[in-house]
Amino acid sequence: MSYFVQVVVDGLSNGAIYAALALAIVLVFRATGLVNFAQGGMAVAATFVAYALVRAGVPVLAALLAAVVAGFALGALLERGVMRHFERGEPDTAIVATIALLLLLTGGSAFFFGYEPHPFPSLFPNRTFEVLGVFVSLRSVGTIVVLLAVMAGLQLLFRSTKLGLAMRAVADNPESSALSALPVSRLLMVGWGLAAALGAIAGVLVAPQLFISPGMLDFVLVYALAAAILGGLDSPVGAVVAAAFIGVAESLAGAYVDIVGDDLKIAVPFLAVMVILVLRPQGLFGKKTTVRV
Amino acid sequence: MATASGTAPATAPATTAPRRRSPLVRLAALLGGLALAVVLVVAPLVSSPFINYQLSSIMVFAVALLGLNVVMGYTGQVSLGQSAFLGLGAYVTAYGVVQGWPLWLSLVLSAALPATVGMLVALAAARLRGLALAMITIALPIVGVPLARRLDEFTGGSQGQVVSFLRAPETTGLANDQWRYYVVTVIAVVVFVLVRNLVRGRVGRSFAVVKENEAVALSMGVSPYRTKVLAFTIASLLGGLAGFMYLAVVQYTSPETLVFATSINLVAAMVIGGSASIVGTVLGALYYVLVPVVAGQVSSSRTALISGAVLLAVLFVLPAGLASLPRRVGGRLRRRTPAAEGAPATPDPDGTAPAVPTPAAASTDRR
């Protein structure tokens, strides 16, 4: 029983990381209608900023904040400088453009820091504690708590601030928003910036576990994409629920199903995605859309 | 055959009436094609094994890219899993070599098995729209790598599988690298001729209309679902065949063959070369093989940086890829003539377009 709870908590903590990146993907998708395959690459680049600062002697928490700021700036910059060009064009071209960004960011990170993984200090002490006879790691719980707080903050931003309202309006209908004198292009930049900042948090939280390297988030991005699609791509709640589900499901499958094991547990989210999408192509929480000719 | 390929319009799905070209242009195309054929045949005889290895690799990845182009360039469905089929084809071939199967059986199975897998995946995934399909195709290399490690009875696990096959027959007097070059070149040329005919015919037009607008396709009696499954199956078949060629050239395969990064680089090379273009596919293969060779001598992270930068530059200024460069330049120059608007789009690439299929005809005649 105790092992079971431990596995579930570890799964939830991984799920929280996937959820952060999945939320970033959903944020970008809602604002600009495209899926950003460079979301992981952007997060890694921001995490490397934190890494450089930590190596220079800055405390981890300050480095995290710096990474968030750097991530926001990077996201806004890339939206304005590159993605703006592709936003209303062919979606396939836009996907390839984000792949170009992924190549650039990965190459850039490798250029400065090399491909080999480096250790990264954890925000939380590496300890386990006991609750009702069950041992859980402080890091797992800390990760979950931080990301829950971030999600609550985002919810607050979107539901009860003017900026959030304006961003929702732009996501919903850019033309009408422009006619209502909203600064659409600046709001899109903010949307990309927020998404990248979210990725930076995920990157710094997961770096101690994965060790930081340019390809660190490749797998996490795949999980996040699975979660975002499973949740319906335009539903933040759906993405978080799906990410938690994926995290726990793969953790349980890896621990209890012998054929799956630790190496093949990445197949679990895909099987889930395949099955669910074939039964329900709009995702669990997505809205069904009709296409007009 | 050379003239037949010369008259086919370069933008076949869009144009219907056959164009007339001056005999001079036709002659130039024929001569260019012949010259390329001669180069293809003579090159390995006068080059070092290293050069032959690179030339053979270009053939391998040209076929893999051609498959990717069928599904992504011609049919407009993003596929991020081409490396998985490349790896599967290589593993099937390696298994056949280890088991002592006849070569033709390995060749057939290296294409048939990936095609079957691709079709099964597409039957489920083609119901979904663009992004979800991209997502499912990502899964193939991501799941494929640990799977290849796990199934070490068949794959040799993480160490991979070293094989030794396709040695040059004594009677030819060729070295192994030269013989293997000729084998993969023949396969590549045959595949290019077949696919070129496919995409310029009825099937190619159904690809184009599905890419353009699925609802329109449906109203014209073209099933987008079936068309997508077909395109994806062809792509995986060609990927598997490229895997056979890969093993023939490299004589070694491991889980590294199917990593996700390879898929990403293939997509980049395809777009850089030119999507929905046969010439573009060849240019993409040249790019894919040569840039790492050049950039790798500086440092390996340069390859990713260069690829990303070139890809972005192409997307910004040359969305149809390097293959459209002569057309763009030609269009600029001829803008003043009255018929310039659509017409210059075709004559220019024709100088280069038949250059690929024509040697095909020439070199198959030789055999």
Side-chain angles (χ1 to χ4, degrees), chain B residues 312-326:
Chain B
L312 264 191
V314 163
L315 287 175
F316 266 98
V317 300
L318 211 64
L322 293 178
S324 68
L325 195 58

Side-chain angles (χ1 to χ4, degrees), chain A residues 85 92 229 259-260 263 270 278, chain B residues 76 127 135 139 142 150 215 316:
Chain A
H85 189 74
D92 288 358
I229 290 181
I259 317 174
V260 177
D263 51 341
F270 286 107
V278 166
Chain B
R127 291 166 43 111
M135 175 67 223
I142 296 277
R150 178 70 78 81
F316 266 98

Side-chain angles (χ1 to χ4, degrees), chain A residues 151-238:
Chain A
M151 284 163 208
L154 275 180
Q155 188 72 9
L156 213 63
L157 172 74
F158 279 108
R159 291 285 156 204
S160 25
T161 66
K162 259 198 148 154
L163 176 68
L165 182 67
M167 287 178 66
R168 273 160 54 209
V170 170
D172 198 48
N173 190 335
E175 285 81 20
S176 307
S177 313
L179 291 175
S180 318
L182 288 178
V184 174
S185 61
R186 226 172 301 157
L187 287 168
L188 288 179
M189 277 172 73
V190 172
W192 268 68
L194 271 181
L198 204 56
I201 297 176
V204 171
L205 284 179
V206 81
Q209 186 183 343
L210 297 178
F211 285 55
I212 183 165
S213 71
M216 170 178 82
L217 291 180
D218 284 0
F219 272 52
V220 178
L221 177 76
V222 168
Y223 283 116
L225 279 169
I229 290 181
L230 204 56
L233 263 180
D234 53 1
S235 157
V237 180

Side-chain angles (χ1 to χ4, degrees), chain B residues 4 132 135 143 154 165 197 210 260 295 309 349 364:
Chain B
M135 175 67 223
V143 178
F154 301 98
F165 75 120
N197 291 340
V210 167
F260 179 50
T364 33

